[in-house]
């Protein structure tokens, strides 16, 4: 079965991310599922950036331990990747800047000939890639014309030079997969939110969710959508409170450091019951850590962030498809149950690009507002069996709608009376049950692999694709809780029923899901950790799984 | 509607003699004024921080968002973005607006969101028992500074002028009619309106005498002249003895923030089309 | 055995807290241990404040379901406490303002006669209390002269009027206990920190730790001590970072909402290894909640606050004596192991006043700085077996001391190299073991009651005294983990060994310690919760314990 | 010591042509100047935020505290309180000092802590790929504002003057010798010294031409005259076209914050006595 990997490397500023995406689109057109990993340090120009595009005839989301093609725009692209380069690897390189085996292309000269700017070097090397890989030039033309809106002619011209400058070294066969959209995790989240009825997005830039801000800012005009980038994260979440109070379905995005600044108002949403949806992209911590690398070490922080006790929804999708689905769910349920929700993702998912092979879910309908007996007697925090009170927004003639961060009565007026305090607390806590009923209707625990195998790979978030693949190879069971709060204890126990050995894979040091499993009496036999900021490549993880399986 | 009594029956727990009562009356009357002009009462939203002042949210029978300490303005901005038709005002403390949430105050002025900010400037943290704030005079003895503060106060008026505020005024809880008038003007100003209210804290910092004897009403002052506003606002630095002007120091309209954002909800069709386009672009 | 309770009630502004304290001091002089609970709503004048002083010949820290004396400066002091007032209760009241059975005192008239201000009404009623309770006036004089530095004469004069205006209704016998200092939890924490070598305290006012700021600000001159109250909590913790970097032992104080704002820099201390000590006073949440009432619902938030994984010390003392000891420990170990530490308390402890019956611990010695081989080769983050690197402060000639929130090398220079990232992460995590070794030397789990009983009351924090008392009454075992991170799993299991039934008492709704126990495989049979912001009174809790025991 | 090369051998990752290089050289030379005057190198501490500018902490071989985004000044204040003998300076970005941490900037000026703040004002968030900041001109198109910003910038100079800053200067990465001189003056100023440096961002906002053509050196300007400083500082609003002055706008000494706090460590005896007293008072 065809399973190819292409590394594109160069300096920051060489347009490596775009080049990698184009390579992915070439495979998309050729009939493959694709996945692209993007690796970059925290700098703007220079250094070493690279992408790895992998293409196969099954959905994928992980890189491998070998590379079939290297497209080298700098020396590091060859030197730093010797561990995955073999003598079978086909290398094309910019002969002006790189010394290597393989086929050199004098990009500099071609750019001059075409009067093209240096940043078009990536088009040239993509042309060369098509040449060595036996990809027909029309396929490249098709992809360029869709993906490069500006300067198409010139890009095609330099690509053609590259194409012609090399000789075909292999011929990538056509695959059988229908071309699909390629979505980064950030884009998938954005689309999920839009499907859920998003009306406003507020964020302060922070890796790995900045690109969600950029994506929605770009999309804002046509919906229309209110996109705001305020002075800091505190302002971000408070604007979201105001927008929600005003009736606008709103999401906000950040990473751990920014989320810290939001915790106080996150807790406020536990009390004032404004539906707040946070896209929380994990990266390597603690603190500034490795800002452009990945990690799964914020789960317990998110589970407990903010003083006091209140129900919250936490979903942790594992790839772009799940990101679309669960982001929509998060926005919808947050509003339905008037609880804060977190879409907990990480750099690997946010900045990875996946083929979207599932159909889009249906758009959320505008839920009718729950009834309130009469507007004149409207009480924002009316005590109900479900704990969910009717929601109205100003202006509502005849009603004074009072949102309150203090302990309050049904009207939203502050109270310190013990019995009322308890009644209102219990009203709010009942929403946990209501929310649980909703999530029980959903595939809160995703399963795969051999569903009755005695060995289980347990994972969460962006390690889903790599674990899925290994589970299939090893004929293991694959279990991924997608909802982490309210914790789907029964569903998870059911998914694990009959398991003799559970191997948990996490990109952290202390075992975040493991702690949560322990709390719920779910045993884990082995835990595999990684905490250098890099996602698990397929073979490496497979080996580590085999060691303990 | 206009006849609704705007005061809730919640028990009031301000200290006897507290300046907050005057502000409450001035605010209620100013709101009544708006309602009489045809603004539907349900279109008015009050946002408060946390502190003595903030109890206004419980005491006024209007839409309110009782926020957390220091965080009135970003909530108010969100509300304006959600619905620019609403009249949004904030009651904040000096601890709220000048310490915990100073940055928001500057950015609200910069953005020129159409919000009226009333700062109940009693120059202490009232509700946490009278510690110094950024506008307490040098040497103020509070429980966190028993030997007296070592910091000079700043002048919120000049800070707001420097931040681009288009309406800068100062009132006092000692002069009720003028205060009502100032709040009314602030509410009618299209854009960010800043009103520093020198409020008496009967318990911790009762400066009635100072405000009564040194206070004067701005007269013959050109509110369109920035330099004149600056000079007037600089007269008293919240510290040394000097005449204390009350009135509108500066007023100038410029485009408001929220008018740059879509007001309409996207239709289901528009949303579906947009999503389809985004998906197609990535194919 | 004598066990008396006195309620002093009045409006905010009547000096109720001071009056309650004086009553406590009277009992202190009479030979009793005392405990005082202080209840007040969030307002400055008016409303209803009250204290309950309890006195007994054993250390105590909880109130009871009956009251022996009521000192009523307002009507609420009688009307709102009917549940604890019986016909045995001796009531003295301000006849000008209160209608009640018992003995009225025309305070207004007496104040006028003495030309005393209204706030001295509390002295008058205390005089009346001494009169009805048969406390010799010289005892009152002794207490007044120690506790009322200003206006002693006038206070004594109005007290004498009160004393003479009533008739003796009972005679409190002399107890056998040596008078001790009466310390609020806040004061106890302050003294513990000072014993640990505190050089600076930074805080923004917030109930229930504001009074720690006031206490240390008042004490600042004589040590000397740097006490700063900056613009907000973000600034607070960052100033602490700067102070620690500069070599000053520093603590900061706040409550949940303020701690939220500190979490980002709390995580920074996980990475840059500056020793940061936070006094975290819980109150009723979520959000603003009931700001002047109590709660134990922030434990998991504190256990996991801040993005990323790093060791932290959390101590949760249960009374003033423990607060002294463990605050000192927290400051010392934070510096020794270069980890952030949290002294996790609550409103009940912070604002309760206890007899300090233990001796003060020895002052922490100035630990010699750990050796670094030569200053010229000083590396702030040198990798060591213990994970703890030598600490130096500027100016250190020949060394550039680099603190860094990014992932960094031994010199403190930023790195993104995977192997180095892992090595430094593991160095930091090793401090968890080092810290554990230190805490294993300490009484991390406190036990009491019948130490081999089959039934155990398990508690943490300020419910210690009430649970201790019940454990003794019921002949149960009492187990209180004082250190909550690193979790003393073995010690706790050992303390619980042989238990057949474990009853956990917590002032929250979701079971914070219970979740932690579950994670560590420690079973809890029954959990008793309360979440109206009020601490458990003795008999009420005893009844609830009996229901499940 | 003075001969130590102040640049670490860490690989520099600023973009070619970035204005940070100039600031680095100016800063290094200014530090050398101090050291030549006898300030021990080990007494100098640099605090940085997070952003391109902040890499200065890695690149200068001196004591440093590489803090988090927006949080240089409170750390620097803590360091000064710990040891007032230290020379403490901050390199902050405009995102750091004017957005995320605006409040700290105002309070550092208010307190007059003896810290020199150098703002690398490239008028974009550099490290997060060029979004607008509070000093980007109206209409700036960054990735969060693809249609252009709708907010006017504020003027950090007038804001600092209104906050009570005792040293207010502006330089540019385009004028190295003057910048070195300004930083040197700032470091020697006793009290809070604010230096806004119009820095070229070669990648996202290269305003070299603007600063070269519209920039001029303040001459014949009385730095002791607040009103003159205000007028000069108001000349250009970081937006419309106007002459852009470089130099010291204002300088005035007043008492510094840290001198009010104890510098000496309490002795063991003093500590023991104090604790005994506290305990006794409560007996
Ligand atoms: C984050 C946070 N920090 C501290 C507090 C405690 N707190 C409550 S009110 C207040 C001060 C109020 O002062 P101000 O804003 O001037 O209002 P005032 O009471 O004087 O009207 C403080 C510090 C809080 N609620 N939240
Ligand atoms: C709390 C927080 N929010 C967001 C970020 C992401 N972030 C890193 S650098 C930066 C902006 C830097 O801009 P500026 O301060 O102007 O520095 P420059 O890169 O332009 O030198 C941001 C937003 C962060 N690190 N921390
Ligand atoms: S403390 Fe001061 S501000 Fe607060 S209610 Fe009392 S008088 Fe008013
Ligand atoms: S992005 Fe701009 S500020 Fe950052 S290094 Fe590059 S040129 Fe300099
Ligand atoms: Mg105030
Ligand atoms: Mg910048």
């Amino acid at each position: 079965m065809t399973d190819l990997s292409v590394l594109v490397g160069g300096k920051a500023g060489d347009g490596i991310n775009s080049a990698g995406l184009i390579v992915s689109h070439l495979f998309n057109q050729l009939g493959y599922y694709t996945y692209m990993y993007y690796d970059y340090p925290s700098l703007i120009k220079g250094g070493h950036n690279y992408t790895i595009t992998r293409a196969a005839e099954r959905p994928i989301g992980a890189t491998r331990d070998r590379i079939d093609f290297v497209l080298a725009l700098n020396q590091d692209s060859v030197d730093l990747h010797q561990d995955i380069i073999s003598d079978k690897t086909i290398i094309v390189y910019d002969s002006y800047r790189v010394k290597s085996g393989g086929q050199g292309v004098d990009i500099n000269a071609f750019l001059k000939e075409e009067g093209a700017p240096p940043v078009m070097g990536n088009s040239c090397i993509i042309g060369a890639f098509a040449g060595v890989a036996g990809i027909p030039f029309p396929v490249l033309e098709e992809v360029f014309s869709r993906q490069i809106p500006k300067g198409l002619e010139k890009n095609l011209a330099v690509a053609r030079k590259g194409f012609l400058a090399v000789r075909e070294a292999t011929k990538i066969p056509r695959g059988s997969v229908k071309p699909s959209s390629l979505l980064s995790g950030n884009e998938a989240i954005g689309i999920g939110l839009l499907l859920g009825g998003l009306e406003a997005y507020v964020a302060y830039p922070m890796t790995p969710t900045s690109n969600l801000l950029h994506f929605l800012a770009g999309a804002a005009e046509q919906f229309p959508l209110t996109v705001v980038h305020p002075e800091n994260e505190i302002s971000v979440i408070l604007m979201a409170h105001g927008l929600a109070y005003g009736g606008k379905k709103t999401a906000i995005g950040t990473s751990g450091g920014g989320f810290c600044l939001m915790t106080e108002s996150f807790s406020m949403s536990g009390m004032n019951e404004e539906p707040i949806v946070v896209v929380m992209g994990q990266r390597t911590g603690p603190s500034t850590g490795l800002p452009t690398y990945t990690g799964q070490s914020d789960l317990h922080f998110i589970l407990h962030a903010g003083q006091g006790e209140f129900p919250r929804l936490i979903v942790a999708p594992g790839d772009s498809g799940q990101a679309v689905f669960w982001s929509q769910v998060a926005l919808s349920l947050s509003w339905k149950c008037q609880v804060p929700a977190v879409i907990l993702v990480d750099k690997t998912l946010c900045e990875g690009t996946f083929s979207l092979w599932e159909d889009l879910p249906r758009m959320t309908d505008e839920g009718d507002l729950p009834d309130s007996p009469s507007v004149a007697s409207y009480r924002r925090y009316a005590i109900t069996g479900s704990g969910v009170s009717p929601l109205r927004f100003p202006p509502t003639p005849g009603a004074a709608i009072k949102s309150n961060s203090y302990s309050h009565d049904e009207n939203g007026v502050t109270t310190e009376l013990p019995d009322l305090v308890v009644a209102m607390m219990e009203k709010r806590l009942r929403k946990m049950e209501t929310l649980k009923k909703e999530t029980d209707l959903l595939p809160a625990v995703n399963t795969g692999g051999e569903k009755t195998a005695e060995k289980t790979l347990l994972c969460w978030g962006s390690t889903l694709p790599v674990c899925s693949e290994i589970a299939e190879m090893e004929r293991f069971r694959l279990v991924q809780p997608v909802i982490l709060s309210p914790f789907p204890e029964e569903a998870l126990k059911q998914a694990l029923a009959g398991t003799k050995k559970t191997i948990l894979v996490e990109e952290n040091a202390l075992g975040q899901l493991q702690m949560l499993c322990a709390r719920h009496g779910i045993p884990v036999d082995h835990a595999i950790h990684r905490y250098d900021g890099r996602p698990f490549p397929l073979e490496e993880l497979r080996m580590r799984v085999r060691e303990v399986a | 509607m206009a006849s609704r009594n705007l005061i809730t029956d919640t028990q009031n727990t301000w200290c006897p003699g507290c300046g907050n009562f005057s502000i409450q009356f001035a605010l209620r009357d100013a709101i009544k004024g708006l309602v009489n002009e045809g603004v539907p009462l349900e279109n008015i939203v009050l946002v408060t921080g946390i502190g003595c002042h903030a109890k206004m949210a419980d005491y006024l029978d209007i839409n309110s968002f009782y926020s957390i300490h220091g965080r009135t303005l970003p909530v108010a901005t969100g509300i304006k973005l959600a619905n620019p038709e609403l009249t949004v005002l904030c009651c904040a403390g000096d601890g709220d607006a000048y310490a915990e949430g100073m940055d928001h105050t500057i950015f609200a002025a910069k953005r020129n969101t159409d919000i009226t900010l009333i700062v109940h400037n009693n120059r202490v943290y009232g509700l946490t028992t009278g510690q110094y704030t950024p506008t307490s005079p040098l040497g103020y003895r509070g429980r966190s500074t028993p030997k007296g503060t070592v910091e000079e106060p700043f002048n919120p008026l000049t800070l707001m002028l420097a931040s681009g505020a288009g309406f800068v005024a100062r009132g006092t809880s000692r002069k009720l009619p003028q205060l009502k008038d100032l709040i009314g003007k602030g509410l009618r100003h299209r854009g960010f309106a800043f009103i520093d209210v020198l409020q008496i804290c009967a318990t911790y910092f009762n400066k009635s005498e100072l405000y009564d004897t040194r206070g004067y009403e701005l007269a013959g002052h050109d509110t369109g002249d920035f330099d004149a506003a600056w000079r007037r606002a600089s007269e008293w630095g919240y510290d040394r003895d000097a005449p204390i002007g009350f009135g509108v120091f500066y007023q100038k309209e410029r485009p408001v923030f929220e008018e740059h954002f879509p007001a309409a909800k996207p239709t289901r069709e528009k949303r579906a089309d947009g999503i389809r386009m985004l998906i197609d672009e990535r194919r």
Side-chain angles (χ1 to χ4, degrees), chain A, chain B:
Chain A
M1 240 179 38
T2 310
D3 188 340
L4 292 169
S5 297
V6 183
L7 183 147
V8 187
K11 294 200 309 292
D14 285 345
I16 297 306
N17 193 24
S18 322
L21 264 178
I22 298 279
V23 169
S24 302
H25 275 287
L26 288 174
F27 281 105
N28 190 36
Q29 288 302 324
L30 285 173
Y32 293 95
Y33 292 112
T34 68
Y35 163 68
M36 184 180 98
Y37 168 69
Y38 177 35
D39 188 302
Y40 63 102
S42 189
L43 53 81
I44 300 298
K45 289 260 169 83
H48 177 52
N49 284 9
Y50 68 94
T51 60
I52 294 179
T53 292
R54 193 176 149 211
E57 283 176 275
R58 49 153 288 162
I60 43 174
T63 61
R64 307 201 48 183
D65 69 346
R66 58 174 177 71
I67 202 86
D68 301 291
F69 299 88
V70 170
L71 281 52
L73 289 174
N74 66 355
Q75 190 64 39
D76 285 349
S77 303
V78 178
D79 293 355
L80 297 184
H81 300 283
Q82 284 303 319
D83 52 331
I84 51 173
I85 291 177
S86 72
D87 41 6
K88 293 208 197 104
T89 306
I90 298 167
I91 301 178
V92 288
Y93 59 92
D94 178 355
S95 59
Y96 185 73
R97 293 192 271 178
V98 183
K99 279 199 178 18
S100 169
Q103 302 191 44
V105 183
D106 191 349
I107 292 179
N108 210 32
F110 293 155
L111 292 176
K112 279 217 184 100
E113 285 170 31
E114 296 296 338
V119 75
M120 288 195 186
N122 58 5
S123 289
C124 187
I125 202 128
I126 288 169
F129 165 62
V132 295
I135 300 173
F137 200 75
V139 173
L140 185 148
E141 277 175 329
E142 163 84 15
V143 167
F144 269 45
S145 65
R146 282 171 170 277
Q147 301 301 326
I148 307 182
K150 270 195 295 196
L152 175 63
E153 290 312 310
K154 210 153 253 181
N155 275 294
L156 277 175
V158 299
R160 186 178 300 276
K161 294 257 172 186
F163 187 78
L164 296 174
V166 294
R167 59 184 184 286
E168 190 173 301
T170 183
K171 182 143 196 100
I172 298 178
R174 292 251 174 196
S176 57
V177 179
K178 213 171 110 260
S180 62
S181 291
L182 307 191
L183 289 189
S184 73
N186 277 324
E187 290 166 344
I189 294 165
I191 284 169
L193 291 170
L194 290 168
L195 283 167
L198 191 74
E199 292 164 90
Y201 184 76
V202 192
Y204 188 82
M206 189 160 195
T207 309
T209 56
S210 299
N211 284 326
L212 174 54
L213 168 62
H214 305 154
F215 172 66
L216 289 172
E221 299 295 310
Q222 68 219 33
F223 280 88
L225 185 70
T226 294
V227 176
V228 193
H229 156 189
E231 66 271 28
N232 57 34
E233 288 87 352
I234 296 178
S235 205
V236 165
I237 186 166
L238 285 147
M239 284 192 185
H241 268 280
L243 282 154
Y245 174 81
K248 287 237 183 198
K249 286 208 168 128
T250 304
I252 59 183
T254 189
S255 181
F259 185 78
C260 283
L261 296 167
M262 296 178 174
T263 46
E264 192 190 7
S265 297
F266 192 76
S267 173
M268 175 157 73
S269 73
M271 183 58 102
N272 71 7
E273 306 191 46
E274 301 298 345
I276 300 292
V277 177
V278 189
V279 180
M280 166 57 214
Q282 298 168 98
R283 54 194 222 187
T284 324
S287 200
T288 313
L290 276 78
T292 61
Y293 289 91
T294 202
Q296 299 187 304
S297 48
D298 300 344
L299 170 56
H300 276 265
F301 177 33
I302 304 300
L303 277 168
H304 302 287
Q307 75 272 28
E309 298 173 320
F310 51 93
R312 67 193 74 191
L313 173 66
I314 302 177
V315 302
D319 61 19
S320 280
Q322 286 193 347
V324 170
F325 180 81
W326 290 101
S327 301
Q328 177 178 12
V329 165
L331 184 58
S332 298
L333 283 188
S334 170
W335 277 76
K336 192 160 186 188
C337 300
Q338 297 178 35
V339 295
V342 178
I343 300 164
L344 185 60
V345 286
D346 62 22
K347 187 261 167 181
T348 306
L349 174 53
C350 286
E351 311 223 55
T353 302
F354 304 75
S355 294
L356 184 77
W357 47 277
E358 301 100 330
D359 287 336
L360 280 192
R362 264 176 50 83
M363 261 179 6
T364 304
D365 279 312
E366 288 307 318
D368 279 352
L369 290 174
D371 271 345
S372 78
S374 112
V375 167
S377 69
Y378 178 75
R379 291 162 303 154
R380 169 65 186 93
Y381 299 109
I383 293 183
T384 61
S386 67
V388 180
S389 311
L391 201 51
R392 286 270 185 282
F393 317 107
T396 295
I401 300 173
K402 298 183 105 60
S403 187
N404 194 345
S405 78
Y406 273 95
S407 181
H408 46 257
D409 65 14
E410 290 183 273
N411 289 313
V413 172
T414 305
T415 185
E416 295 175 329
L417 295 175
D419 292 346
L420 194 47
V421 166
V422 167
M424 295 302 290
M425 176 75 174
E426 289 176 351
K427 166 195 132 56
R428 290 190 304 271
L429 291 180
R430 275 201 298 281
K431 294 190 298 179
M432 202 141 60
E433 304 310 315
T434 306
L435 181 62
K436 187 71 170 37
K437 273 186 208 138
E438 293 285 344
T439 56
D440 281 349
L441 301 174
L442 296 166
V445 177
N446 172 39
T447 55
E450 298 277 319
K451 300 211 179 181
T452 55
E454 295 194 339
K455 292 182 180 171
T456 299
L457 265 191
L458 179 60
C459 68
W460 65 284
S462 73
T463 52
L464 168 70
V466 67
C467 288
S468 293
E469 224 178 313
I470 293 171
E472 277 183 30
M473 288 170 164
E474 302 287 334
R475 307 187 150 270
F476 284 4
R477 210 186 291 202
L478 184 279
V479 175
Q480 174 216 10
V482 188
I483 291 186
L484 295 168
S485 169
F487 195 65
E489 183 176 317
E490 315 76 37
L492 183 55
K493 283 182 173 164
Q494 205 176 313
L496 289 168
T499 294
K500 294 273 157 63
K501 188 177 263 186
T502 302
I503 301 166
L504 175 52
V505 176
E506 297 194 68
E507 282 167 358
N508 56 48
L510 300 181
Q512 299 270 330
L513 180 58
Q514 192 171 5
M515 290 191 270
L516 196 52
C517 284
R519 186 199 293 176
H520 291 274
I522 294 168
V524 166
D525 300 290
H526 295 283
I528 296 176
H529 298 288
R530 183 177 184 135
Y531 40 89
D532 64 355
R534 278 68 177 179
F536 287 108
L538 180 63
E539 284 81 4
E540 185 189 312
L541 179 59
R542 188 180 184 191
M543 225 167 59
R544 292 186 58 186
V545 168
R546 285 187 155 191
E547 273 167 21
V548 297
Chain B
M1 213 38 216
S3 70
R4 196 164 96 192
N5 176 14
L6 295 184
I7 310 289
T8 60
D9 51 14
T10 307
Q11 201 200 327
N12 187 304
T13 59
W14 285 322
C15 307
C18 175
N20 279 318
F21 289 107
S22 306
I23 303 180
Q24 186 186 21
F25 297 139
L27 180 51
R28 186 204 43 197
D29 289 353
I31 290 174
K32 281 192 175 161
L34 279 194
V35 172
N36 288 339
E37 283 173 23
V39 176
L41 183 58
E42 63 270 17
N43 277 35
I44 299 172
V45 184
L46 168 67
V47 183
T48 70
I50 296 291
C52 295
H53 65 277
K55 297 182 176 186
M56 197 69 84
D58 283 341
Y59 301 157
L60 286 187
D61 186 21
I62 58 174
N63 295 316
S64 63
F65 189 113
Y66 205 151
S67 182
I68 51 178
H69 179 50
R71 317 296 175 197
T72 55
L73 287 163
V75 173
T77 306
I79 296 172
K80 271 309 263 192
L81 287 170
N83 186 351
E85 301 294 301
L86 300 174
T87 297
V88 181
L89 65 127
C90 298
C91 286
D94 47 331
D96 265 341
Y98 302 151
E100 186 74 78
M102 182 69 214
D103 38 1
H104 309 308
T105 309
I106 289 176
F107 277 87
K110 174 181 189 288
R111 284 193 193 105
N112 200 33
T113 326
D114 184 9
I115 296 166
T116 301
L117 169 66
I118 301 167
V119 181
H120 298 223
N121 188 0
N122 54 6
R123 305 168 69 197
V124 288
Y125 293 108
L127 195 57
T128 52
T129 69
Q131 300 88 351
Y132 86 106
T133 69
T135 52
S136 306
L138 182 68
Y140 171 84
R141 286 166 194 253
R143 298 176 72 195
S144 64
T145 54
K147 303 271 162 190
T149 58
V150 300
E151 286 181 56
E152 284 176 35
F154 58 47
N155 180 336
L157 268 54
T158 53
L159 264 169
M160 282 293 95
L161 287 171
S163 304
F167 181 100
V168 175
R170 182 165 56 205
T172 172
S173 61
R174 302 288 300 169
K175 292 193 164 58
L176 189 49
Q178 191 205 29
L179 184 57
K180 177 191 150 184
D181 178 58
L182 288 176
I183 295 176
K185 285 198 174 114
L187 288 170
R188 284 171 188 82
H189 174 78
R190 186 173 146 79
F192 180 65
F194 168 78
I195 307 170
D196 186 60
V197 182
L198 292 174
Q199 174 222 322
I200 297 312
C201 172
T203 300
Y204 297 113
F205 202 57
N206 190 338
K207 301 306 269 183
S208 299
E209 205 198 308
L210 176 72
Y211 303 152
D212 289 352
T213 57
R214 301 303 274 146
Y216 73 97
E217 223 163 293
L218 295 187
H221 168 70
D222 176 2
T223 58
D225 179 345
F226 184 90
D227 291 334
W230 177 268
R231 276 193 310 274
R232 277 277 175 240
S234 306
E235 211 170 31
W236 179 60
Y238 288 70
D239 199 3
R240 292 145 292 119
D241 181 49
I244 303 174
F246 295 116
V248 177
F249 288 75
Y250 183 61
Q251 182 162 18
K252 188 177 180 186
E253 297 229 344
R254 52 184 182 96
V256 301
F257 185 60
E258 56 274 25
E259 78 190 16
H260 301 284
F261 294 90
K265 225 180 163 77
T267 61
R268 204 178 148 76
E269 290 63 43
K270 195 142 194 209
R271 222 159 26 102
D273 285 352
I275 294 171
R276 207 169 305 120
M277 219 185 82
L278 290 171
I279 289 284
D280 284 345
E281 279 172 7
R282 280 155 186 83
R283 206 181 295 277

